[in-house]
Amino acid sequence: MTPPTADELGLRLCHHCRLACDATAQHCPRCNTWLHRRKHNSIARAWALMMTALILYIPANVLPIMHTSSFTGDSDTTILGSVVTLWLDGAWDIALIIFIASVGVPVTKFLVLGLLLLTVGRGSERSRRDRTRLYRGLELIGYWSMLDVFVAGLLVALVQFGALGSIEPRIGILYFGLVVVLTMLATMSFDPRLIWDTEPHHE
Ligand SMILES: [Zn+2]
């Protein structure tokens, strides 16, 4: 048996304080937040933010993220370049962390969010429970995306302590930061309740 939905009970959840409010009310009686049945323009906003992130992901990878100078010479390094260099230097663990944070996590987010947006846009009724779980996972890995920025900071600190070299951030890291923020906003804009709106008894 399916439990009744908020719609059927004439209720609407406040996004801010989670109070179940009367569906006819415009504002939450407790915190005065504007009430929506679903997040406003959820699909369009999530698409727009995700596509922007996807476009910025190109310069984030193509442009250098840091400039190193040492007695062996100056060089600009991209994200993948730094992964290769660290790997060849034997720091495979740090190389792996940077690779997961800068390629694994963002690519997974693009694929999962793209899949959710496409299936919800088409009104798919398949594996709703699994798709809701995917969305939970998406929110969860969002917290780990900033890892790469921390690792970059760590590298800067390491080289600064070494007397012979210096390292400076380059424009690529800014693009990468924007990608992280935009994918987070895209995930937040998506309303997972839309997955369940295709339930037959809603029609
Ligand atoms: Zn409220």
Side-chain angles (χ1 to χ4, degrees):
M1 202 192 86
T2 330
T5 63
D7 261 350
E8 288 160 354
L9 295 173
L11 293 172
R12 206 164 275 196
L13 198 67
C14 170
H15 288 299
H16 193 68
C17 71
R18 304 285 162 187
L19 178 71
C21 309
D22 189 79
T24 53
Q26 298 229 302
H27 295 89
C28 169
R30 186 157 67 187
C31 70
N32 210 31
T33 303
W34 195 268
L35 295 170
H36 300 291
R37 187 181 157 270
R38 294 289 179 261
K39 284 181 190 171
H40 199 56
N41 280 337
S42 170
I43 303 287
R45 277 202 298 163
W47 267 125
L49 289 164
M50 195 188 83
M51 293 318 280
T52 314
L54 201 60
I55 291 165
L56 293 181
Y57 191 56
I58 297 166
N61 278 291
V62 172
L63 296 175
I65 54 157
M66 57 187 177
H67 177 85
T68 45
S69 50
S70 65
F71 62 96
T72 54
D74 288 19
S75 67
D76 280 340
T77 321
T78 59
I79 292 178
L80 285 176
S82 68
V83 170
V84 172
T85 310
L86 284 164
W87 187 277
L88 294 177
D89 284 351
W92 61 269
D93 38 6
I94 299 180
L96 200 66
I97 291 174
I98 298 187
F99 184 77
I100 291 172
S102 60
V103 180
V105 171
V107 169
T108 308
K109 288 179 90 173
F110 287 136
L111 289 176
V112 171
L113 194 58
L115 177 83
L116 290 174
L117 285 169
L118 279 176
T119 50
V120 167
R122 287 211 326 250
S124 168
E125 291 177 20
R126 288 176 57 198
S127 40
R128 284 185 288 241
R129 200 176 297 268
D130 290 335
R131 282 189 281 141
T132 306
R133 285 205 191 102
L134 271 180
Y135 182 75
R136 297 265 175 277
L138 203 60
E139 283 185 312
L140 208 66
I141 59 172
Y143 301 122
W144 296 95
S145 299
M146 278 296 184
L147 203 64
D148 195 61
V149 179
F150 290 128
V151 172
L154 184 81
L155 285 177
V156 170
L158 282 176
V159 177
Q160 295 293 3
F161 281 121
L164 289 170
S166 82
I167 186 165
E168 285 166 18
R170 282 290 181 262
I171 192 79
I173 202 77
L174 178 71
Y175 283 110
F176 186 77
L178 285 173
V179 170
V180 171
V181 172
L182 285 168
T183 47
M184 269 182 181
L185 291 176
T187 310
M188 281 161 61
S189 303
F190 182 77
D191 194 332
R193 289 173 300 186
L194 292 169
I195 296 170
W196 298 90
D197 278 355
T198 52
E199 196 99 53
H201 67 250
H202 280 240
E203 284 152 14

